[in-house]
Amino acid sequence: MRRCPLCHSDKTTRFYTDKKRCLYHCQLCQLVFADANSHLPPTAEQQKYRLATSKHKPLARFMLDLITQCEDGQTPLLGLSFGRTIDTHTLQKITAKGHRLNQYDPSIAPWSRQLKQEYDFICCYRVFEHFRFPYREWALLCELIKPGGWIAICTPLLSELSAFDKWHHKNNLTHVSFYQRQTFEYLANKVGFKLLFAANDLILVQKPSESDITRDQTSVVAGA
Ligand SMILES: [Zn+2]
């Protein structure tokens, strides 16, 4: 039995084993996670991670689409690229529109206090699967996003537990946390965020704005 690194439940079962590692399934939040004993040493993890970063040109497209969706035509946005850095050319495009983007890549620099601000949007492109302690990262993201702001997550969604042995994402040893739709439903419900499943492993989560919260409270009072 292993404690779930996302919801901390003890209701986990050994789910899949191959030559390299053992994976567990949490019955509460439905996360599938790798046994911590099989995590790669930090240097090997960073090498593989950096290699993957250099291949991720779609990140730029993902980021620009996200900004277009968040733009309201007037307000400059403050965004955060969480877990990966984008190329200089794309960054210039974003600043030319009047927006600002902070970037955090654990393979380049550790998390810094200067990054601890409130953001209009946060982009998490192919990073959730690398989280060894997803509880911690999720809590941080919830704190960093402004009321009304969006967190855009791109991670391979695990749709069929029964087909896990054929699912290629499990073969990358830097992938240690796998999420199902129910996992995101669990997370969004817990903090009262709005959840949307868009196409191609894209998950959008919105923190309620202050006016939403006031409205909810008013309706509770009105209904009481
Ligand atoms: Zn769990």
Side-chain angles (χ1 to χ4, degrees):
M1 201 243 331
R2 294 284 187 278
R3 179 170 275 212
C4 173
L6 180 56
C7 73
H8 294 163
S9 167
D10 288 333
K11 288 188 179 163
T12 62
T13 49
R14 186 185 279 225
F15 169 67
Y16 178 85
T17 310
D18 63 16
K19 283 181 194 159
K20 293 192 173 151
R21 61 181 178 172
C22 183
L23 292 131
Y24 289 79
H25 171 232
C26 173
Q27 289 165 30
L28 182 60
C29 75
Q30 303 297 321
L31 183 79
V32 169
F33 59 95
D35 185 358
N37 295 329
S38 68
H39 289 169
L40 293 177
T43 44
E45 159 90 23
Q46 280 195 4
Q47 274 175 4
K48 278 181 183 269
Y49 190 86
R50 196 163 289 170
L51 206 65
T53 298
S54 63
K55 284 180 187 168
H56 273 144
K57 281 186 184 169
L59 166 61
R61 199 169 59 230
F62 185 81
M63 179 73 74
L64 292 171
D65 285 352
L66 173 62
I67 292 172
T68 307
Q69 305 227 347
C70 292
E71 276 173 334
D72 61 9
Q74 294 170 0
T75 327
L77 301 169
L78 173 61
L80 174 68
S81 179
F82 189 90
R84 295 202 183 271
T85 47
I86 60 162
D87 62 284
T88 323
H89 176 66
T90 310
L91 195 58
Q92 283 167 351
K93 272 190 182 174
I94 296 167
T95 47
K97 288 174 159 207
H99 307 309
R100 280 192 299 140
L101 185 76
N102 285 344
Q103 306 212 62
Y104 160 61
D105 181 342
S107 74
I108 294 170
W111 177 255
S112 96
R113 275 192 201 170
Q114 287 163 341
L115 292 165
K116 199 153 186 178
Q117 304 181 39
E118 282 202 321
Y119 295 93
D120 297 297
F121 69 88
I122 302 176
C123 171
C124 302
Y125 184 81
R126 301 299 302 266
V127 291
F128 264 60
E129 58 270 37
H130 296 275
F131 291 162
R132 296 176 175 201
F133 307 103
Y135 172 84
R136 199 177 61 189
E137 314 286 4
W138 173 251
L140 177 62
L141 291 168
C142 291
E143 202 182 311
L144 294 173
I145 194 74
K146 272 185 194 169
W150 289 93
I151 305 173
I153 300 156
C154 179
T155 190
L157 271 181
L158 175 56
S159 55
E160 268 186 78
L161 283 182
S162 57
F164 189 80
D165 59 333
K166 296 188 189 73
W167 201 50
H168 70 278
H169 290 292
K170 74 175 186 317
N171 301 334
N172 180 334
L173 296 181
T174 68
H175 294 172
V176 294
S177 294
F178 302 110
Y179 308 78
Q180 304 188 65
R181 272 175 168 250
Q182 299 97 309
T183 316
F184 284 106
E185 283 161 2
Y186 170 88
L187 290 175
N189 275 338
K190 209 148 192 260
V191 289
F193 285 16
K194 184 175 171 184
L195 174 69
L196 291 172
F197 291 103
N200 299 328
D201 296 337
L202 168 62
I203 301 108
L204 295 167
V205 192
Q206 187 185 31
K207 192 179 207 169
S209 64
E210 268 135 20
S211 59
D212 290 340
I213 295 166
T214 316
R215 205 181 309 137
D216 284 353
Q217 282 171 349
T218 314
S219 61
V220 170
V221 172

Short mmCIF file of all heavy atoms in Angstrom, two decimals, residues 23-71:
data_model
loop_
_atom_site.label_atom_id
_atom_site.label_comp_id
_atom_site.label_asym_id
_atom_site.label_seq_id
_atom_site.Cartn_x
_atom_site.Cartn_y
_atom_site.Cartn_z
N LEU A 23 3.46 0.59 -10.51
CA LEU A 23 2.54 1.74 -10.45
C LEU A 23 1.34 1.41 -9.59
O LEU A 23 0.89 0.25 -9.55
CB LEU A 23 2.09 2.12 -11.86
CG LEU A 23 3.23 2.70 -12.70
CD1 LEU A 23 3.32 2.05 -14.06
CD2 LEU A 23 3.11 4.19 -12.84
N TYR A 24 0.82 2.43 -8.94
CA TYR A 24 -0.31 2.27 -8.03
C TYR A 24 -1.50 3.08 -8.52
O TYR A 24 -1.34 4.08 -9.23
CB TYR A 24 0.08 2.73 -6.62
CG TYR A 24 1.05 1.79 -5.96
CD1 TYR A 24 2.41 1.82 -6.29
CD2 TYR A 24 0.62 0.83 -5.04
CE1 TYR A 24 3.30 0.93 -5.72
CE2 TYR A 24 1.52 -0.05 -4.47
CZ TYR A 24 2.85 0.00 -4.81
OH TYR A 24 3.73 -0.88 -4.25
N HIS A 25 -2.68 2.65 -8.11
CA HIS A 25 -3.91 3.34 -8.49
C HIS A 25 -4.63 3.79 -7.23
O HIS A 25 -4.81 3.00 -6.30
CB HIS A 25 -4.80 2.37 -9.30
CG HIS A 25 -6.17 2.89 -9.56
ND1 HIS A 25 -7.31 2.17 -9.27
CD2 HIS A 25 -6.60 4.07 -10.07
CE1 HIS A 25 -8.37 2.89 -9.61
NE2 HIS A 25 -7.98 4.03 -10.09
N CYS A 26 -5.02 5.07 -7.20
CA CYS A 26 -5.74 5.60 -6.05
C CYS A 26 -7.24 5.50 -6.31
O CYS A 26 -7.74 6.01 -7.31
CB CYS A 26 -5.35 7.06 -5.81
SG CYS A 26 -6.36 7.82 -4.54
N GLN A 27 -7.94 4.87 -5.39
CA GLN A 27 -9.37 4.68 -5.59
C GLN A 27 -10.18 5.94 -5.30
O GLN A 27 -11.31 6.06 -5.72
CB GLN A 27 -9.86 3.54 -4.71
CG GLN A 27 -9.36 2.21 -5.22
CD GLN A 27 -9.51 1.11 -4.21
OE1 GLN A 27 -10.41 1.14 -3.38
NE2 GLN A 27 -8.63 0.14 -4.26
N LEU A 28 -9.58 6.87 -4.59
CA LEU A 28 -10.31 8.10 -4.28
C LEU A 28 -10.23 9.12 -5.42
O LEU A 28 -11.24 9.54 -5.96
CB LEU A 28 -9.80 8.70 -2.97
CG LEU A 28 -10.50 9.95 -2.49
CD1 LEU A 28 -11.99 9.70 -2.25
CD2 LEU A 28 -9.86 10.49 -1.21
N CYS A 29 -9.02 9.51 -5.81
CA CYS A 29 -8.89 10.53 -6.86
C CYS A 29 -8.58 9.94 -8.23
O CYS A 29 -8.50 10.69 -9.21
CB CYS A 29 -7.83 11.57 -6.47
SG CYS A 29 -6.14 10.98 -6.62
N GLN A 30 -8.39 8.63 -8.30
CA GLN A 30 -8.17 7.91 -9.57
C GLN A 30 -6.81 8.20 -10.22
O GLN A 30 -6.61 7.91 -11.40
CB GLN A 30 -9.29 8.21 -10.59
CG GLN A 30 -10.68 7.87 -10.09
CD GLN A 30 -10.85 6.39 -9.83
OE1 GLN A 30 -10.34 5.56 -10.58
NE2 GLN A 30 -11.51 6.03 -8.75
N LEU A 31 -5.90 8.76 -9.47
CA LEU A 31 -4.54 8.96 -10.00
C LEU A 31 -3.84 7.62 -10.11
O LEU A 31 -4.02 6.74 -9.26
CB LEU A 31 -3.75 9.86 -9.04
CG LEU A 31 -2.33 10.24 -9.48
CD1 LEU A 31 -2.38 11.37 -10.51
CD2 LEU A 31 -1.48 10.69 -8.29
N VAL A 32 -3.04 7.45 -11.18
CA VAL A 32 -2.12 6.32 -11.25
C VAL A 32 -0.72 6.90 -11.08
O VAL A 32 -0.36 7.84 -11.78
CB VAL A 32 -2.26 5.58 -12.61
CG1 VAL A 32 -1.14 4.57 -12.80
CG2 VAL A 32 -3.62 4.88 -12.68
N PHE A 33 0.02 6.36 -10.15
CA PHE A 33 1.32 6.98 -9.86
C PHE A 33 2.42 5.93 -9.68
O PHE A 33 2.16 4.80 -9.27
CB PHE A 33 1.23 7.88 -8.61
CG PHE A 33 0.79 7.16 -7.35
CD1 PHE A 33 1.72 6.67 -6.43
CD2 PHE A 33 -0.57 6.97 -7.09
CE1 PHE A 33 1.32 6.02 -5.28
CE2 PHE A 33 -0.97 6.31 -5.93
CZ PHE A 33 -0.03 5.84 -5.03
N ALA A 34 3.63 6.36 -10.00
CA ALA A 34 4.78 5.45 -9.90
C ALA A 34 5.26 5.39 -8.46
O ALA A 34 5.24 6.39 -7.74
CB ALA A 34 5.90 5.95 -10.81
N ASP A 35 5.70 4.21 -8.10
CA ASP A 35 6.29 4.02 -6.78
C ASP A 35 7.50 4.95 -6.65
O ASP A 35 8.35 5.01 -7.56
CB ASP A 35 6.73 2.55 -6.68
CG ASP A 35 7.26 2.21 -5.32
OD1 ASP A 35 7.33 3.10 -4.46
OD2 ASP A 35 7.62 1.04 -5.12
N ALA A 36 7.58 5.69 -5.55
CA ALA A 36 8.67 6.65 -5.37
C ALA A 36 10.05 5.99 -5.45
O ALA A 36 11.02 6.62 -5.86
CB ALA A 36 8.50 7.37 -4.03
N ASN A 37 10.12 4.69 -5.11
CA ASN A 37 11.41 4.00 -5.18
C ASN A 37 11.92 3.89 -6.61
O ASN A 37 13.10 3.65 -6.84
CB ASN A 37 11.30 2.58 -4.61
CG ASN A 37 10.99 2.61 -3.14
OD1 ASN A 37 11.40 3.54 -2.45
ND2 ASN A 37 10.25 1.62 -2.65
N SER A 38 11.02 4.04 -7.58
CA SER A 38 11.45 3.90 -8.97
C SER A 38 11.72 5.24 -9.64
O SER A 38 12.06 5.29 -10.81
CB SER A 38 10.35 3.17 -9.77
OG SER A 38 9.20 4.00 -9.88
N HIS A 39 11.57 6.33 -8.89
CA HIS A 39 11.85 7.64 -9.51
C HIS A 39 13.31 7.72 -9.92
O HIS A 39 14.19 7.24 -9.21
CB HIS A 39 11.54 8.77 -8.52
CG HIS A 39 10.06 8.95 -8.26
ND1 HIS A 39 9.58 9.75 -7.26
CD2 HIS A 39 8.98 8.42 -8.87
CE1 HIS A 39 8.26 9.72 -7.27
NE2 HIS A 39 7.87 8.91 -8.23
N LEU A 40 13.55 8.37 -11.05
CA LEU A 40 14.92 8.49 -11.55
C LEU A 40 15.71 9.43 -10.64
O LEU A 40 15.14 10.34 -10.04
CB LEU A 40 14.91 9.09 -12.95
CG LEU A 40 14.31 8.24 -14.08
CD1 LEU A 40 14.31 9.03 -15.37
CD2 LEU A 40 15.09 6.94 -14.26
N PRO A 41 17.04 9.23 -10.57
CA PRO A 41 17.83 10.20 -9.81
C PRO A 41 17.70 11.58 -10.47
O PRO A 41 17.52 11.65 -11.69
CB PRO A 41 19.27 9.68 -9.95
CG PRO A 41 19.17 8.36 -10.60
CD PRO A 41 17.81 8.18 -11.18
N PRO A 42 17.77 12.67 -9.70
CA PRO A 42 17.54 14.01 -10.25
C PRO A 42 18.34 14.33 -11.52
O PRO A 42 17.82 14.94 -12.44
CB PRO A 42 17.93 14.94 -9.10
CG PRO A 42 17.75 14.12 -7.87
CD PRO A 42 18.03 12.69 -8.26
N THR A 43 19.60 13.91 -11.59
CA THR A 43 20.40 14.26 -12.77
C THR A 43 19.86 13.58 -14.03
O THR A 43 19.74 14.20 -15.08
CB THR A 43 21.88 13.85 -12.58
OG1 THR A 43 21.89 12.54 -12.01
CG2 THR A 43 22.62 14.81 -11.70
N ALA A 44 19.51 12.30 -13.93
CA ALA A 44 18.97 11.58 -15.08
C ALA A 44 17.63 12.18 -15.49
O ALA A 44 17.33 12.35 -16.67
CB ALA A 44 18.81 10.11 -14.73
N GLU A 45 16.82 12.52 -14.50
CA GLU A 45 15.51 13.13 -14.75
C GLU A 45 15.69 14.44 -15.51
O GLU A 45 15.02 14.70 -16.50
CB GLU A 45 14.82 13.37 -13.40
CG GLU A 45 13.73 14.41 -13.39
CD GLU A 45 12.34 13.86 -13.68
OE1 GLU A 45 12.16 12.65 -13.47
OE2 GLU A 45 11.49 14.63 -14.14
N GLN A 46 16.64 15.26 -15.07
CA GLN A 46 16.83 16.57 -15.70
C GLN A 46 17.31 16.44 -17.13
O GLN A 46 16.88 17.18 -18.01
CB GLN A 46 17.85 17.38 -14.90
CG GLN A 46 17.20 18.00 -13.68
CD GLN A 46 18.06 19.09 -13.07
OE1 GLN A 46 19.11 19.42 -13.60
NE2 GLN A 46 17.63 19.62 -11.96
N GLN A 47 18.20 15.47 -17.37
CA GLN A 47 18.69 15.28 -18.74
C GLN A 47 17.54 14.93 -19.68
O GLN A 47 17.40 15.49 -20.75
CB GLN A 47 19.71 14.16 -18.77
CG GLN A 47 21.10 14.65 -18.46
CD GLN A 47 22.10 13.52 -18.36
OE1 GLN A 47 21.75 12.37 -18.61
NE2 GLN A 47 23.32 13.85 -18.02
N LYS A 48 16.71 14.00 -19.25
CA LYS A 48 15.59 13.58 -20.09
C LYS A 48 14.59 14.72 -20.27
O LYS A 48 14.03 14.92 -21.33
CB LYS A 48 14.87 12.38 -19.45
CG LYS A 48 15.56 11.06 -19.73
CD LYS A 48 14.78 9.94 -19.09
CE LYS A 48 15.45 8.60 -19.29
NZ LYS A 48 15.01 7.91 -20.48
N TYR A 49 14.39 15.45 -19.20
CA TYR A 49 13.42 16.54 -19.22
C TYR A 49 13.88 17.63 -20.18
O TYR A 49 13.11 18.13 -20.98
CB TYR A 49 13.29 17.11 -17.80
CG TYR A 49 12.17 18.08 -17.60
CD1 TYR A 49 10.90 17.63 -17.30
CD2 TYR A 49 12.38 19.44 -17.70
CE1 TYR A 49 9.85 18.51 -17.10
CE2 TYR A 49 11.35 20.34 -17.51
CZ TYR A 49 10.09 19.87 -17.20
OH TYR A 49 9.07 20.75 -17.01
N ARG A 50 15.16 17.96 -20.13
CA ARG A 50 15.69 19.01 -20.99
C ARG A 50 15.57 18.61 -22.45
O ARG A 50 15.25 19.39 -23.32
CB ARG A 50 17.15 19.29 -20.62
CG ARG A 50 17.62 20.61 -21.18
CD ARG A 50 18.87 21.07 -20.48
NE ARG A 50 18.62 21.50 -19.12
CZ ARG A 50 19.57 21.77 -18.24
NH1 ARG A 50 20.82 21.63 -18.57
NH2 ARG A 50 19.28 22.18 -17.05
N LEU A 51 15.84 17.35 -22.72
CA LEU A 51 15.72 16.82 -24.08
C LEU A 51 14.29 17.00 -24.58
O LEU A 51 14.05 17.44 -25.70
CB LEU A 51 16.06 15.33 -24.04
CG LEU A 51 16.59 14.69 -25.31
CD1 LEU A 51 17.94 15.30 -25.65
CD2 LEU A 51 16.76 13.18 -25.09
N ALA A 52 13.34 16.70 -23.70
CA ALA A 52 11.93 16.81 -24.08
C ALA A 52 11.57 18.28 -24.30
O ALA A 52 10.83 18.61 -25.22
CB ALA A 52 11.05 16.22 -22.97
N THR A 53 12.13 19.18 -23.48
CA THR A 53 11.81 20.60 -23.60
C THR A 53 12.20 21.12 -24.99
O THR A 53 11.46 21.84 -25.63
CB THR A 53 12.57 21.39 -22.52
OG1 THR A 53 12.11 20.93 -21.26
CG2 THR A 53 12.31 22.87 -22.62
N SER A 54 13.39 20.67 -25.47
CA SER A 54 13.85 21.20 -26.75
C SER A 54 12.96 20.72 -27.91
O SER A 54 12.96 21.29 -28.97
CB SER A 54 15.30 20.78 -26.99
OG SER A 54 15.34 19.37 -27.08
N LYS A 55 12.20 19.67 -27.68
CA LYS A 55 11.35 19.14 -28.75
C LYS A 55 9.97 19.79 -28.78
O LYS A 55 9.19 19.52 -29.67
CB LYS A 55 11.15 17.63 -28.55
CG LYS A 55 12.36 16.80 -28.93
CD LYS A 55 12.02 15.34 -28.68
CE LYS A 55 13.24 14.46 -28.88
NZ LYS A 55 13.01 13.12 -28.38
N HIS A 56 9.69 20.61 -27.78
CA HIS A 56 8.31 21.04 -27.64
C HIS A 56 7.96 22.35 -28.31
O HIS A 56 7.62 23.32 -27.66
CB HIS A 56 7.91 21.06 -26.16
CG HIS A 56 7.43 19.73 -25.70
ND1 HIS A 56 7.67 19.23 -24.45
CD2 HIS A 56 6.72 18.77 -26.34
CE1 HIS A 56 7.14 18.03 -24.34
NE2 HIS A 56 6.56 17.74 -25.47
N LYS A 57 8.05 22.37 -29.63
CA LYS A 57 7.63 23.57 -30.35
C LYS A 57 6.12 23.81 -30.20
O LYS A 57 5.69 24.94 -30.21
CB LYS A 57 8.01 23.46 -31.83
CG LYS A 57 9.48 23.75 -32.04
CD LYS A 57 9.85 23.81 -33.50
CE LYS A 57 11.35 24.02 -33.61
NZ LYS A 57 11.83 23.84 -34.96
N PRO A 58 5.31 22.76 -30.08
CA PRO A 58 3.87 23.01 -29.91
C PRO A 58 3.55 23.84 -28.68
O PRO A 58 2.47 24.42 -28.60
CB PRO A 58 3.27 21.60 -29.78
CG PRO A 58 4.26 20.69 -30.39
CD PRO A 58 5.60 21.33 -30.18
N LEU A 59 4.48 23.92 -27.75
CA LEU A 59 4.26 24.75 -26.56
C LEU A 59 3.97 26.20 -26.95
O LEU A 59 3.08 26.84 -26.40
CB LEU A 59 5.49 24.68 -25.64
CG LEU A 59 5.59 25.72 -24.52
CD1 LEU A 59 4.42 25.63 -23.55
CD2 LEU A 59 6.90 25.57 -23.75
N ALA A 60 4.73 26.71 -27.94
CA ALA A 60 4.55 28.09 -28.36
C ALA A 60 3.13 28.31 -28.88
O ALA A 60 2.46 29.28 -28.52
CB ALA A 60 5.56 28.44 -29.45
N ARG A 61 2.65 27.35 -29.68
CA ARG A 61 1.30 27.48 -30.25
C ARG A 61 0.25 27.41 -29.13
O ARG A 61 -0.71 28.17 -29.09
CB ARG A 61 1.07 26.37 -31.28
CG ARG A 61 -0.08 26.68 -32.22
CD ARG A 61 -0.13 25.72 -33.38
NE ARG A 61 -0.29 24.35 -32.92
CZ ARG A 61 0.47 23.34 -33.32
NH1 ARG A 61 1.45 23.52 -34.17
NH2 ARG A 61 0.28 22.13 -32.86
N PHE A 62 0.48 26.48 -28.23
CA PHE A 62 -0.42 26.29 -27.08
C PHE A 62 -0.54 27.59 -26.28
O PHE A 62 -1.62 28.04 -25.92
CB PHE A 62 0.14 25.15 -26.23
CG PHE A 62 -0.73 24.74 -25.07
CD1 PHE A 62 -1.80 23.89 -25.26
CD2 PHE A 62 -0.46 25.17 -23.78
CE1 PHE A 62 -2.60 23.48 -24.19
CE2 PHE A 62 -1.25 24.78 -22.71
CZ PHE A 62 -2.32 23.92 -22.92
N MET A 63 0.63 28.20 -26.04
CA MET A 63 0.68 29.43 -25.24
C MET A 63 -0.03 30.58 -25.95
O MET A 63 -0.82 31.30 -25.34
CB MET A 63 2.16 29.78 -24.99
CG MET A 63 2.38 31.03 -24.21
SD MET A 63 1.99 30.80 -22.49
CE MET A 63 3.39 29.83 -21.96
N LEU A 64 0.24 30.74 -27.25
CA LEU A 64 -0.36 31.86 -27.98
C LEU A 64 -1.88 31.69 -28.07
O LEU A 64 -2.62 32.66 -27.94
CB LEU A 64 0.27 31.97 -29.38
CG LEU A 64 1.74 32.40 -29.37
CD1 LEU A 64 2.36 32.29 -30.76
CD2 LEU A 64 1.91 33.82 -28.83
N ASP A 65 -2.34 30.46 -28.28
CA ASP A 65 -3.80 30.21 -28.31
C ASP A 65 -4.43 30.55 -26.97
O ASP A 65 -5.50 31.14 -26.90
CB ASP A 65 -4.08 28.72 -28.60
CG ASP A 65 -3.85 28.38 -30.06
OD1 ASP A 65 -3.63 29.31 -30.85
OD2 ASP A 65 -3.87 27.18 -30.41
N LEU A 66 -3.74 30.17 -25.91
CA LEU A 66 -4.26 30.43 -24.56
C LEU A 66 -4.40 31.93 -24.32
O LEU A 66 -5.42 32.41 -23.81
CB LEU A 66 -3.32 29.78 -23.53
CG LEU A 66 -3.61 30.08 -22.06
CD1 LEU A 66 -4.98 29.56 -21.65
CD2 LEU A 66 -2.54 29.43 -21.16
N ILE A 67 -3.37 32.67 -24.72
CA ILE A 67 -3.40 34.13 -24.52
C ILE A 67 -4.54 34.74 -25.31
O ILE A 67 -5.28 35.58 -24.80
CB ILE A 67 -2.03 34.75 -24.89
CG1 ILE A 67 -0.99 34.28 -23.86
CG2 ILE A 67 -2.11 36.27 -24.93
CD1 ILE A 67 0.42 34.64 -24.16
N THR A 68 -4.72 34.28 -26.55
CA THR A 68 -5.82 34.81 -27.38
C THR A 68 -7.16 34.58 -26.67
O THR A 68 -8.02 35.45 -26.66
CB THR A 68 -5.82 34.11 -28.76
OG1 THR A 68 -4.52 34.24 -29.30
CG2 THR A 68 -6.83 34.73 -29.70
N GLN A 69 -7.31 33.41 -26.07
CA GLN A 69 -8.57 33.09 -25.39
C GLN A 69 -8.78 33.94 -24.13
O GLN A 69 -9.91 34.21 -23.75
CB GLN A 69 -8.60 31.62 -24.99
CG GLN A 69 -8.36 30.72 -26.18
CD GLN A 69 -9.35 29.58 -26.26
OE1 GLN A 69 -10.07 29.31 -25.33
NE2 GLN A 69 -9.38 28.92 -27.40
N CYS A 70 -7.68 34.30 -23.48
CA CYS A 70 -7.80 35.06 -22.23
C CYS A 70 -7.91 36.56 -22.47
O CYS A 70 -8.34 37.30 -21.59
CB CYS A 70 -6.59 34.80 -21.34
SG CYS A 70 -6.51 33.14 -20.68
N GLU A 71 -7.49 37.01 -23.66
CA GLU A 71 -7.49 38.46 -23.93
C GLU A 71 -8.90 39.01 -23.94
O GLU A 71 -9.80 38.40 -24.49
CB GLU A 71 -6.87 38.73 -25.31
CG GLU A 71 -5.36 38.78 -25.28
CD GLU A 71 -4.76 38.89 -26.67
OE1 GLU A 71 -5.43 38.45 -27.64
OE2 GLU A 71 -3.64 39.39 -26.78
#
